[in-house]
């Protein structure tokens, strides 16, 4: 279980991107609040943060021609078992998305440079088919080179 660094979402190979979507779906559903060392930081923030991150993942999926189930675009949706739940504050989601889109901020403060390097190292270790030149063009040059 892992939420890849937000800056890597547009660069993730198909397998990791679709896996990220499944991970977000699981966390939004019955996985919310369940302890897991790699994603425990997610639960220190409101669920709005996870929904905002998931919306970014789904935007990238659509950009690539994939069709995530539109029901996940509803921030209240928590999966077929739980259905809709008033667990999020729409104002916070709008604020987070505004900060991300217009100001280029990270949704999770834990998605810092050290975490970016950790994620890049893991992707390299898995031999994930990432276009590292494209990553450098995206402003990740120093990070990619240092790993």
């Amino acid at each position: 279980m892992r939420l890849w660094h937000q800056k890597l979402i547009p660069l993730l190979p198909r397998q990791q991107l679709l896996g990220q979507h499944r991970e977000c779906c699981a966390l939004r559903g019955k996985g919310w609040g369940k302890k897991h060392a790699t994603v425990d930081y997610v639960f220190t923030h409101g669920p709005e943060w996870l929904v905002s991150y998931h919306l970014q993942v789904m935007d990238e999926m659509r950009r690539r021609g994939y069709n995530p189930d539109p029901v996940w675009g509803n921030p209240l949706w928590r999966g077929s078992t739980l259905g809709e739940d008033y667990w999020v504050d729409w104002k916070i989601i709008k604020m987070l998305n505004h900060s991300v889109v217009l100001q280029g901020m990270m949704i999770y403060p834990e998605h810092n440079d050290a975490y970016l390097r950790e994620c890049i190292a893991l992707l390299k270790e898995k031999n994930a088919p990432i276009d590292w030149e494209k990553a450098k063009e995206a402003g990740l040059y120093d990070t990619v080179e240092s790993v």
Side-chain angles (χ1 to χ4, degrees), residues 24-35:
C24 289
C25 293
L27 289 170
R28 283 176 64 175
K30 287 185 168 185
W32 181 256
K34 289 190 176 169
K35 288 274 188 196

Side-chain angles (χ1 to χ4, degrees), residues 36-52:
H36 192 286
T38 313
V39 293
D40 270 357
Y41 71 89
V42 170
F43 310 127
T44 66
H45 305 285
E48 298 85 1
W49 298 50
L50 175 61
V51 170
S52 293

Side-chain angles (χ1 to χ4, degrees), residues 121-144:
L122 283 168
L123 288 166
K124 283 183 170 184
E125 184 179 299
K126 293 176 183 238
N127 291 317
I130 288 184
D131 183 344
W132 295 111
E133 290 305 313
K134 184 177 175 184
K136 291 175 187 176
E137 290 169 13
L140 304 176
Y141 181 81
D142 292 337
T143 308
V144 171

Side-chain angles (χ1 to χ4, degrees), residues 77-122:
W77 187 250
R78 298 199 58 199
S80 58
T81 304
L82 298 176
E84 277 193 358
D85 183 4
Y86 292 93
W87 71 317
V88 295
D89 183 334
W90 287 84
K91 291 177 191 170
I92 294 174
I93 292 172
K94 286 182 181 181
M95 181 272 304
L96 286 168
N97 288 336
H98 174 78
S99 298
V100 168
V101 173
L102 297 180
Q103 299 171 17
M105 295 175 61
M106 296 298 102
I107 293 170
Y108 289 106
E110 292 82 358
H111 287 207
N112 55 28
D113 288 341
Y115 187 64
L116 178 60
R117 283 190 297 277
E118 179 183 333
C119 288
I120 289 172
L122 283 168

